[in-house]
Amino acid sequence: MPSPPEAGLRLAGTGVFLPARILTNRDLEKLVETSDEWIFTRTGIRERRIASEKETSTWMGVQAAQQALSRAKIPASALDLILVATVTPESFFPSTACRISADLGATGCPAFDLQAACSGFVYALIVADQFLRSGTARNILIVGTERLSSVVDWRDRNTCVLFGDGAGAVVLQPSPDGRGILSFDWGADGTSADLLHLHNPQSRGQATQPPATLSPDCIVMAGKEIFKQAVTAMAESAKRTLAKAGVSLSDVKCVISHQANIRIIDALAEKLKFPRERCFVNVHRYGNMSAACIPVALHEAGSEGTLQKGDKVLLVAFGGGLTWSSALLEW
Ligand code: UT7
């Protein structure tokens, strides 16, 4: 049994997988009535990655996890918890976490999926923090993996230009020097669920009547309303997290927010009065990858040297549910 509570957590390793296939805005002009100019000015997105047939959420998650494990210099057999955040699982069960654990060779390690849409990764980080603090786990793998290209309606210009595929992973370990999550805030409001959803067409079928079609429904979003709620909820959540830690925004090196739309990132920075140049941005390259956005951004910010030991990083996310979450990390 692992030893008793330690002060915090550290990101021992991060990893990503991004499919090689790039779909540009110009490519989308051939699919729907849209333009590179509209997409870029309204969202900041230039291109997104699209998974091949073999690149399922499981497969991409495994690649990202292997990189994170290798950077953390631990074998999969050392893991004592695997959490996977995804809205695009290969199957309802087994969970993507169980599938990933099998491919990693982590048999026996508890593994489960955690679904909070685009807030999923930060939710998982908050859950993992509890296990590390209580001393019940010492090596936790979190994976955010999404294959949104298979659940968007490619005839719907309102949504198909926004999303992309990819995976990010982190290995977390206890930190003896108190770094890690300094504070967090999370919440949900199911009363606005219809604003952004992905319906399961089989969920209402009658046992004696097979569903008319096996193809899943596609993502439905009331974009304008989600935009407004995202900015407000992320700003409020970020403020609560900072207040709990007694840290002011001027002490924060970088804000890594969910990457849905550059205008949302701009509006959040403005609302928080945080310098826009200290907001991490990669939405132009990948679009919205739901639960994979923040781990991919964390990996890139860490690898590019944007973040140095001791830097304070504010993670903040918003997504379907509705859900929101934020966490203040000391790198
Ligand atoms: O991951 C969870 C969080 N998700 C988000 O945070 C997404 C939040 N929402 C958004 O990012 C934005 O609302 C969108 C990018 C989805 C839409 O931007 P908007 O500025 O709110 O545009 P709109 O929906 O008000 O549409 C404006 C116009 C409409 O035409 P009309 O009705 O004014 O004639 C749309 O039909 O733009 C049209 N439009 C497009 N035109 C060209 C919508 N999509 C497109 C498109 N290309 N792809």
mmCIF file with all atom_site columns, all heavy atoms in Angstrom, residues 220-243:
data_model
loop_
_atom_site.group_PDB
_atom_site.id
_atom_site.type_symbol
_atom_site.label_atom_id
_atom_site.label_alt_id
_atom_site.label_comp_id
_atom_site.label_asym_id
_atom_site.label_entity_id
_atom_site.label_seq_id
_atom_site.pdbx_PDB_ins_code
_atom_site.Cartn_x
_atom_site.Cartn_y
_atom_site.Cartn_z
_atom_site.occupancy
_atom_site.B_iso_or_equiv
_atom_site.pdbx_formal_charge
_atom_site.auth_seq_id
_atom_site.auth_comp_id
_atom_site.auth_asym_id
_atom_site.auth_atom_id
_atom_site.pdbx_PDB_model_num
ATOM 1   N N   . VAL A 1 220 ? -24.678 18.578 -31.642 1.00 0.00 ? 220 VAL A N   1
ATOM 2   C CA  . VAL A 1 220 ? -25.606 19.691 -31.852 1.00 0.00 ? 220 VAL A CA  1
ATOM 3   C C   . VAL A 1 220 ? -25.188 20.803 -30.894 1.00 0.00 ? 220 VAL A C   1
ATOM 4   O O   . VAL A 1 220 ? -24.943 20.551 -29.714 1.00 0.00 ? 220 VAL A O   1
ATOM 5   C CB  . VAL A 1 220 ? -27.061 19.252 -31.529 1.00 0.00 ? 220 VAL A CB  1
ATOM 6   C CG1 . VAL A 1 220 ? -28.014 20.430 -31.619 1.00 0.00 ? 220 VAL A CG1 1
ATOM 7   C CG2 . VAL A 1 220 ? -27.490 18.129 -32.455 1.00 0.00 ? 220 VAL A CG2 1
ATOM 8   N N   . MET A 1 221 ? -25.088 22.030 -31.430 1.00 0.00 ? 221 MET A N   1
ATOM 9   C CA  . MET A 1 221 ? -24.641 23.117 -30.546 1.00 0.00 ? 221 MET A CA  1
ATOM 10  C C   . MET A 1 221 ? -25.347 24.426 -30.887 1.00 0.00 ? 221 MET A C   1
ATOM 11  O O   . MET A 1 221 ? -25.446 24.802 -32.048 1.00 0.00 ? 221 MET A O   1
ATOM 12  C CB  . MET A 1 221 ? -23.128 23.310 -30.691 1.00 0.00 ? 221 MET A CB  1
ATOM 13  C CG  . MET A 1 221 ? -22.603 24.445 -29.828 1.00 0.00 ? 221 MET A CG  1
ATOM 14  S SD  . MET A 1 221 ? -20.822 24.493 -29.707 1.00 0.00 ? 221 MET A SD  1
ATOM 15  C CE  . MET A 1 221 ? -20.395 24.976 -31.359 1.00 0.00 ? 221 MET A CE  1
ATOM 16  N N   . ALA A 1 222 ? -25.815 25.096 -29.839 1.00 0.00 ? 222 ALA A N   1
ATOM 17  C CA  . ALA A 1 222 ? -26.310 26.468 -29.987 1.00 0.00 ? 222 ALA A CA  1
ATOM 18  C C   . ALA A 1 222 ? -25.095 27.377 -29.756 1.00 0.00 ? 222 ALA A C   1
ATOM 19  O O   . ALA A 1 222 ? -24.821 27.798 -28.629 1.00 0.00 ? 222 ALA A O   1
ATOM 20  C CB  . ALA A 1 222 ? -27.413 26.735 -28.965 1.00 0.00 ? 222 ALA A CB  1
ATOM 21  N N   . GLY A 1 223 ? -24.350 27.611 -30.835 1.00 0.00 ? 223 GLY A N   1
ATOM 22  C CA  . GLY A 1 223 ? -23.024 28.237 -30.745 1.00 0.00 ? 223 GLY A CA  1
ATOM 23  C C   . GLY A 1 223 ? -22.981 29.550 -29.995 1.00 0.00 ? 223 GLY A C   1
ATOM 24  O O   . GLY A 1 223 ? -22.142 29.744 -29.106 1.00 0.00 ? 223 GLY A O   1
ATOM 25  N N   . LYS A 1 224 ? -23.889 30.461 -30.340 1.00 0.00 ? 224 LYS A N   1
ATOM 26  C CA  . LYS A 1 224 ? -23.847 31.806 -29.731 1.00 0.00 ? 224 LYS A CA  1
ATOM 27  C C   . LYS A 1 224 ? -24.041 31.743 -28.222 1.00 0.00 ? 224 LYS A C   1
ATOM 28  O O   . LYS A 1 224 ? -23.358 32.415 -27.462 1.00 0.00 ? 224 LYS A O   1
ATOM 29  C CB  . LYS A 1 224 ? -24.954 32.668 -30.355 1.00 0.00 ? 224 LYS A CB  1
ATOM 30  C CG  . LYS A 1 224 ? -24.388 33.682 -31.327 1.00 0.00 ? 224 LYS A CG  1
ATOM 31  C CD  . LYS A 1 224 ? -25.425 34.717 -31.676 1.00 0.00 ? 224 LYS A CD  1
ATOM 32  C CE  . LYS A 1 224 ? -25.011 35.594 -32.840 1.00 0.00 ? 224 LYS A CE  1
ATOM 33  N NZ  . LYS A 1 224 ? -23.598 35.753 -33.070 1.00 0.00 ? 224 LYS A NZ  1
ATOM 34  N N   . GLU A 1 225 ? -25.035 30.941 -27.805 1.00 0.00 ? 225 GLU A N   1
ATOM 35  C CA  . GLU A 1 225 ? -25.344 30.842 -26.377 1.00 0.00 ? 225 GLU A CA  1
ATOM 36  C C   . GLU A 1 225 ? -24.186 30.164 -25.626 1.00 0.00 ? 225 GLU A C   1
ATOM 37  O O   . GLU A 1 225 ? -23.797 30.593 -24.537 1.00 0.00 ? 225 GLU A O   1
ATOM 38  C CB  . GLU A 1 225 ? -26.656 30.052 -26.204 1.00 0.00 ? 225 GLU A CB  1
ATOM 39  C CG  . GLU A 1 225 ? -27.241 30.087 -24.817 1.00 0.00 ? 225 GLU A CG  1
ATOM 40  C CD  . GLU A 1 225 ? -27.404 31.501 -24.230 1.00 0.00 ? 225 GLU A CD  1
ATOM 41  O OE1 . GLU A 1 225 ? -27.720 32.433 -24.988 1.00 0.00 ? 225 GLU A OE1 1
ATOM 42  O OE2 . GLU A 1 225 ? -27.178 31.643 -23.004 1.00 0.00 ? 225 GLU A OE2 1
ATOM 43  N N   . ILE A 1 226 ? -23.643 29.111 -26.245 1.00 0.00 ? 226 ILE A N   1
ATOM 44  C CA  . ILE A 1 226 ? -22.507 28.413 -25.617 1.00 0.00 ? 226 ILE A CA  1
ATOM 45  C C   . ILE A 1 226 ? -21.316 29.369 -25.490 1.00 0.00 ? 226 ILE A C   1
ATOM 46  O O   . ILE A 1 226 ? -20.612 29.379 -24.477 1.00 0.00 ? 226 ILE A O   1
ATOM 47  C CB  . ILE A 1 226 ? -22.124 27.155 -26.438 1.00 0.00 ? 226 ILE A CB  1
ATOM 48  C CG1 . ILE A 1 226 ? -23.168 26.056 -26.244 1.00 0.00 ? 226 ILE A CG1 1
ATOM 49  C CG2 . ILE A 1 226 ? -20.744 26.633 -26.077 1.00 0.00 ? 226 ILE A CG2 1
ATOM 50  C CD1 . ILE A 1 226 ? -23.186 25.418 -24.861 1.00 0.00 ? 226 ILE A CD1 1
ATOM 51  N N   . PHE A 1 227 ? -21.122 30.174 -26.504 1.00 0.00 ? 227 PHE A N   1
ATOM 52  C CA  . PHE A 1 227 ? -20.019 31.155 -26.491 1.00 0.00 ? 227 PHE A CA  1
ATOM 53  C C   . PHE A 1 227 ? -20.140 32.034 -25.249 1.00 0.00 ? 227 PHE A C   1
ATOM 54  O O   . PHE A 1 227 ? -19.197 32.176 -24.464 1.00 0.00 ? 227 PHE A O   1
ATOM 55  C CB  . PHE A 1 227 ? -20.099 31.987 -27.775 1.00 0.00 ? 227 PHE A CB  1
ATOM 56  C CG  . PHE A 1 227 ? -18.944 32.920 -28.008 1.00 0.00 ? 227 PHE A CG  1
ATOM 57  C CD1 . PHE A 1 227 ? -18.078 32.726 -29.061 1.00 0.00 ? 227 PHE A CD1 1
ATOM 58  C CD2 . PHE A 1 227 ? -18.731 34.018 -27.181 1.00 0.00 ? 227 PHE A CD2 1
ATOM 59  C CE1 . PHE A 1 227 ? -17.010 33.585 -29.292 1.00 0.00 ? 227 PHE A CE1 1
ATOM 60  C CE2 . PHE A 1 227 ? -17.666 34.883 -27.395 1.00 0.00 ? 227 PHE A CE2 1
ATOM 61  C CZ  . PHE A 1 227 ? -16.813 34.668 -28.450 1.00 0.00 ? 227 PHE A CZ  1
ATOM 62  N N   . LYS A 1 228 ? -21.321 32.615 -25.069 1.00 0.00 ? 228 LYS A N   1
ATOM 63  C CA  . LYS A 1 228 ? -21.526 33.552 -23.936 1.00 0.00 ? 228 LYS A CA  1
ATOM 64  C C   . LYS A 1 228 ? -21.332 32.831 -22.608 1.00 0.00 ? 228 LYS A C   1
ATOM 65  O O   . LYS A 1 228 ? -20.655 33.313 -21.707 1.00 0.00 ? 228 LYS A O   1
ATOM 66  C CB  . LYS A 1 228 ? -22.947 34.126 -23.988 1.00 0.00 ? 228 LYS A CB  1
ATOM 67  C CG  . LYS A 1 228 ? -23.087 35.266 -25.004 1.00 0.00 ? 228 LYS A CG  1
ATOM 68  C CD  . LYS A 1 228 ? -24.464 35.897 -24.887 1.00 0.00 ? 228 LYS A CD  1
ATOM 69  C CE  . LYS A 1 228 ? -25.312 35.517 -26.076 1.00 0.00 ? 228 LYS A CE  1
ATOM 70  N NZ  . LYS A 1 228 ? -26.712 35.718 -26.000 1.00 0.00 ? 228 LYS A NZ  1
ATOM 71  N N   . GLN A 1 229 ? -21.960 31.645 -22.500 1.00 0.00 ? 229 GLN A N   1
ATOM 72  C CA  . GLN A 1 229 ? -21.869 30.915 -21.228 1.00 0.00 ? 229 GLN A CA  1
ATOM 73  C C   . GLN A 1 229 ? -20.437 30.480 -20.955 1.00 0.00 ? 229 GLN A C   1
ATOM 74  O O   . GLN A 1 229 ? -20.000 30.448 -19.800 1.00 0.00 ? 229 GLN A O   1
ATOM 75  C CB  . GLN A 1 229 ? -22.808 29.708 -21.258 1.00 0.00 ? 229 GLN A CB  1
ATOM 76  C CG  . GLN A 1 229 ? -24.251 30.123 -21.431 1.00 0.00 ? 229 GLN A CG  1
ATOM 77  C CD  . GLN A 1 229 ? -25.198 29.354 -20.519 1.00 0.00 ? 229 GLN A CD  1
ATOM 78  O OE1 . GLN A 1 229 ? -24.790 28.764 -19.541 1.00 0.00 ? 229 GLN A OE1 1
ATOM 79  N NE2 . GLN A 1 229 ? -26.476 29.395 -20.827 1.00 0.00 ? 229 GLN A NE2 1
ATOM 80  N N   . ALA A 1 230 ? -19.706 30.127 -22.011 1.00 0.00 ? 230 ALA A N   1
ATOM 81  C CA  . ALA A 1 230 ? -18.319 29.673 -21.832 1.00 0.00 ? 230 ALA A CA  1
ATOM 82  C C   . ALA A 1 230 ? -17.466 30.794 -21.238 1.00 0.00 ? 230 ALA A C   1
ATOM 83  O O   . ALA A 1 230 ? -16.716 30.577 -20.279 1.00 0.00 ? 230 ALA A O   1
ATOM 84  C CB  . ALA A 1 230 ? -17.730 29.213 -23.168 1.00 0.00 ? 230 ALA A CB  1
ATOM 85  N N   . VAL A 1 231 ? -17.609 31.985 -21.789 1.00 0.00 ? 231 VAL A N   1
ATOM 86  C CA  . VAL A 1 231 ? -16.787 33.106 -21.310 1.00 0.00 ? 231 VAL A CA  1
ATOM 87  C C   . VAL A 1 231 ? -17.119 33.404 -19.847 1.00 0.00 ? 231 VAL A C   1
ATOM 88  O O   . VAL A 1 231 ? -16.227 33.503 -18.994 1.00 0.00 ? 231 VAL A O   1
ATOM 89  C CB  . VAL A 1 231 ? -17.007 34.356 -22.191 1.00 0.00 ? 231 VAL A CB  1
ATOM 90  C CG1 . VAL A 1 231 ? -16.248 35.551 -21.613 1.00 0.00 ? 231 VAL A CG1 1
ATOM 91  C CG2 . VAL A 1 231 ? -16.572 34.087 -23.626 1.00 0.00 ? 231 VAL A CG2 1
ATOM 92  N N   . THR A 1 232 ? -18.419 33.511 -19.539 1.00 0.00 ? 232 THR A N   1
ATOM 93  C CA  . THR A 1 232 ? -18.822 33.847 -18.171 1.00 0.00 ? 232 THR A CA  1
ATOM 94  C C   . THR A 1 232 ? -18.403 32.758 -17.186 1.00 0.00 ? 232 THR A C   1
ATOM 95  O O   . THR A 1 232 ? -17.794 33.044 -16.150 1.00 0.00 ? 232 THR A O   1
ATOM 96  C CB  . THR A 1 232 ? -20.360 34.033 -18.112 1.00 0.00 ? 232 THR A CB  1
ATOM 97  O OG1 . THR A 1 232 ? -20.706 35.005 -19.091 1.00 0.00 ? 232 THR A OG1 1
ATOM 98  C CG2 . THR A 1 232 ? -20.819 34.488 -16.751 1.00 0.00 ? 232 THR A CG2 1
ATOM 99  N N   . ALA A 1 233 ? -18.715 31.500 -17.527 1.00 0.00 ? 233 ALA A N   1
ATOM 100 C CA  . ALA A 1 233 ? -18.433 30.407 -16.579 1.00 0.00 ? 233 ALA A CA  1
ATOM 101 C C   . ALA A 1 233 ? -16.932 30.251 -16.367 1.00 0.00 ? 233 ALA A C   1
ATOM 102 O O   . ALA A 1 233 ? -16.484 30.020 -15.231 1.00 0.00 ? 233 ALA A O   1
ATOM 103 C CB  . ALA A 1 233 ? -19.037 29.098 -17.087 1.00 0.00 ? 233 ALA A CB  1
ATOM 104 N N   . MET A 1 234 ? -16.137 30.362 -17.428 1.00 0.00 ? 234 MET A N   1
ATOM 105 C CA  . MET A 1 234 ? -14.685 30.180 -17.251 1.00 0.00 ? 234 MET A CA  1
ATOM 106 C C   . MET A 1 234 ? -14.098 31.327 -16.441 1.00 0.00 ? 234 MET A C   1
ATOM 107 O O   . MET A 1 234 ? -13.236 31.105 -15.584 1.00 0.00 ? 234 MET A O   1
ATOM 108 C CB  . MET A 1 234 ? -13.994 30.040 -18.605 1.00 0.00 ? 234 MET A CB  1
ATOM 109 C CG  . MET A 1 234 ? -14.226 28.675 -19.232 1.00 0.00 ? 234 MET A CG  1
ATOM 110 S SD  . MET A 1 234 ? -13.046 28.259 -20.526 1.00 0.00 ? 234 MET A SD  1
ATOM 111 C CE  . MET A 1 234 ? -13.563 29.334 -21.820 1.00 0.00 ? 234 MET A CE  1
ATOM 112 N N   . ALA A 1 235 ? -14.560 32.553 -16.698 1.00 0.00 ? 235 ALA A N   1
ATOM 113 C CA  . ALA A 1 235 ? -14.019 33.694 -15.946 1.00 0.00 ? 235 ALA A CA  1
ATOM 114 C C   . ALA A 1 235 ? -14.368 33.550 -14.460 1.00 0.00 ? 235 ALA A C   1
ATOM 115 O O   . ALA A 1 235 ? -13.515 33.732 -13.582 1.00 0.00 ? 235 ALA A O   1
ATOM 116 C CB  . ALA A 1 235 ? -14.562 35.002 -16.506 1.00 0.00 ? 235 ALA A CB  1
ATOM 117 N N   . GLU A 1 236 ? -15.625 33.182 -14.172 1.00 0.00 ? 236 GLU A N   1
ATOM 118 C CA  . GLU A 1 236 ? -16.034 33.065 -12.763 1.00 0.00 ? 236 GLU A CA  1
ATOM 119 C C   . GLU A 1 236 ? -15.300 31.930 -12.068 1.00 0.00 ? 236 GLU A C   1
ATOM 120 O O   . GLU A 1 236 ? -14.852 32.061 -10.928 1.00 0.00 ? 236 GLU A O   1
ATOM 121 C CB  . GLU A 1 236 ? -17.552 32.882 -12.667 1.00 0.00 ? 236 GLU A CB  1
ATOM 122 C CG  . GLU A 1 236 ? -18.264 34.187 -12.956 1.00 0.00 ? 236 GLU A CG  1
ATOM 123 C CD  . GLU A 1 236 ? -19.777 34.060 -13.042 1.00 0.00 ? 236 GLU A CD  1
ATOM 124 O OE1 . GLU A 1 236 ? -20.307 32.932 -12.849 1.00 0.00 ? 236 GLU A OE1 1
ATOM 125 O OE2 . GLU A 1 236 ? -20.432 35.086 -13.326 1.00 0.00 ? 236 GLU A OE2 1
ATOM 126 N N   . SER A 1 237 ? -15.164 30.808 -12.773 1.00 0.00 ? 237 SER A N   1
ATOM 127 C CA  . SER A 1 237 ? -14.469 29.660 -12.183 1.00 0.00 ? 237 SER A CA  1
ATOM 128 C C   . SER A 1 237 ? -13.007 30.014 -11.914 1.00 0.00 ? 237 SER A C   1
ATOM 129 O O   . SER A 1 237 ? -12.464 29.696 -10.848 1.00 0.00 ? 237 SER A O   1
ATOM 130 C CB  . SER A 1 237 ? -14.576 28.455 -13.131 1.00 0.00 ? 237 SER A CB  1
ATOM 131 O OG  . SER A 1 237 ? -13.924 27.343 -12.579 1.00 0.00 ? 237 SER A OG  1
ATOM 132 N N   . ALA A 1 238 ? -12.368 30.681 -12.870 1.00 0.00 ? 238 ALA A N   1
ATOM 133 C CA  . ALA A 1 238 ? -10.956 31.071 -12.707 1.00 0.00 ? 238 ALA A CA  1
ATOM 134 C C   . ALA A 1 238 ? -10.798 31.979 -11.486 1.00 0.00 ? 238 ALA A C   1
ATOM 135 O O   . ALA A 1 238 ? -9.878  31.792 -10.678 1.00 0.00 ? 238 ALA A O   1
ATOM 136 C CB  . ALA A 1 238 ? -10.468 31.776 -13.961 1.00 0.00 ? 238 ALA A CB  1
ATOM 137 N N   . LYS A 1 239 ? -11.726 32.919 -11.330 1.00 0.00 ? 239 LYS A N   1
ATOM 138 C CA  . LYS A 1 239 ? -11.630 33.849 -10.178 1.00 0.00 ? 239 LYS A CA  1
ATOM 139 C C   . LYS A 1 239 ? -11.787 33.100 -8.858  1.00 0.00 ? 239 LYS A C   1
ATOM 140 O O   . LYS A 1 239 ? -11.086 33.379 -7.892  1.00 0.00 ? 239 LYS A O   1
ATOM 141 C CB  . LYS A 1 239 ? -12.704 34.942 -10.298 1.00 0.00 ? 239 LYS A CB  1
ATOM 142 C CG  . LYS A 1 239 ? -12.359 35.992 -11.356 1.00 0.00 ? 239 LYS A CG  1
ATOM 143 C CD  . LYS A 1 239 ? -13.457 37.032 -11.413 1.00 0.00 ? 239 LYS A CD  1
ATOM 144 C CE  . LYS A 1 239 ? -13.303 37.918 -12.637 1.00 0.00 ? 239 LYS A CE  1
ATOM 145 N NZ  . LYS A 1 239 ? -14.513 38.690 -12.931 1.00 0.00 ? 239 LYS A NZ  1
ATOM 146 N N   . ARG A 1 240 ? -12.720 32.141 -8.829  1.00 0.00 ? 240 ARG A N   1
ATOM 147 C CA  . ARG A 1 240 ? -12.920 31.382 -7.577  1.00 0.00 ? 240 ARG A CA  1
ATOM 148 C C   . ARG A 1 240 ? -11.667 30.577 -7.232  1.00 0.00 ? 240 ARG A C   1
ATOM 149 O O   . ARG A 1 240 ? -11.248 30.523 -6.080  1.00 0.00 ? 240 ARG A O   1
ATOM 150 C CB  . ARG A 1 240 ? -14.131 30.438 -7.713  1.00 0.00 ? 240 ARG A CB  1
ATOM 151 C CG  . ARG A 1 240 ? -15.476 31.149 -7.597  1.00 0.00 ? 240 ARG A CG  1
ATOM 152 C CD  . ARG A 1 240 ? -16.619 30.149 -7.436  1.00 0.00 ? 240 ARG A CD  1
ATOM 153 N NE  . ARG A 1 240 ? -16.813 29.332 -8.622  1.00 0.00 ? 240 ARG A NE  1
ATOM 154 C CZ  . ARG A 1 240 ? -17.615 29.640 -9.642  1.00 0.00 ? 240 ARG A CZ  1
ATOM 155 N NH1 . ARG A 1 240 ? -18.305 30.754 -9.625  1.00 0.00 ? 240 ARG A NH1 1
ATOM 156 N NH2 . ARG A 1 240 ? -17.734 28.825 -10.677 1.00 0.00 ? 240 ARG A NH2 1
ATOM 157 N N   . THR A 1 241 ? -11.058 29.979 -8.272  1.00 0.00 ? 241 THR A N   1
ATOM 158 C CA  . THR A 1 241 ? -9.852  29.171 -8.030  1.00 0.00 ? 241 THR A CA  1
ATOM 159 C C   . THR A 1 241 ? -8.720  30.039 -7.502  1.00 0.00 ? 241 THR A C   1
ATOM 160 O O   . THR A 1 241 ? -8.016  29.668 -6.558  1.00 0.00 ? 241 THR A O   1
ATOM 161 C CB  . THR A 1 241 ? -9.448  28.446 -9.333  1.00 0.00 ? 241 THR A CB  1
ATOM 162 O OG1 . THR A 1 241 ? -10.376 27.378 -9.517  1.00 0.00 ? 241 THR A OG1 1
ATOM 163 C CG2 . THR A 1 241 ? -8.050  27.876 -9.283  1.00 0.00 ? 241 THR A CG2 1
ATOM 164 N N   . LEU A 1 242 ? -8.535  31.212 -8.094  1.00 0.00 ? 242 LEU A N   1
ATOM 165 C CA  . LEU A 1 242 ? -7.463  32.113 -7.641  1.00 0.00 ? 242 LEU A CA  1
ATOM 166 C C   . LEU A 1 242 ? -7.724  32.576 -6.208  1.00 0.00 ? 242 LEU A C   1
ATOM 167 O O   . LEU A 1 242 ? -6.810  32.616 -5.381  1.00 0.00 ? 242 LEU A O   1
ATOM 168 C CB  . LEU A 1 242 ? -7.367  33.319 -8.581  1.00 0.00 ? 242 LEU A CB  1
ATOM 169 C CG  . LEU A 1 242 ? -6.791  33.003 -9.966  1.00 0.00 ? 242 LEU A CG  1
ATOM 170 C CD1 . LEU A 1 242 ? -7.054  34.155 -10.921 1.00 0.00 ? 242 LEU A CD1 1
ATOM 171 C CD2 . LEU A 1 242 ? -5.299  32.712 -9.886  1.00 0.00 ? 242 LEU A CD2 1
ATOM 172 N N   . ALA A 1 243 ? -9.000  32.903 -5.920  1.00 0.00 ? 243 ALA A N   1
ATOM 173 C CA  . ALA A 1 243 ? -9.339  33.379 -4.576  1.00 0.00 ? 243 ALA A CA  1
ATOM 174 C C   . ALA A 1 243 ? -9.056  32.297 -3.534  1.00 0.00 ? 243 ALA A C   1
ATOM 175 O O   . ALA A 1 243 ? -8.524  32.576 -2.450  1.00 0.00 ? 243 ALA A O   1
ATOM 176 C CB  . ALA A 1 243 ? -10.803 33.812 -4.525  1.00 0.00 ? 243 ALA A CB  1
#
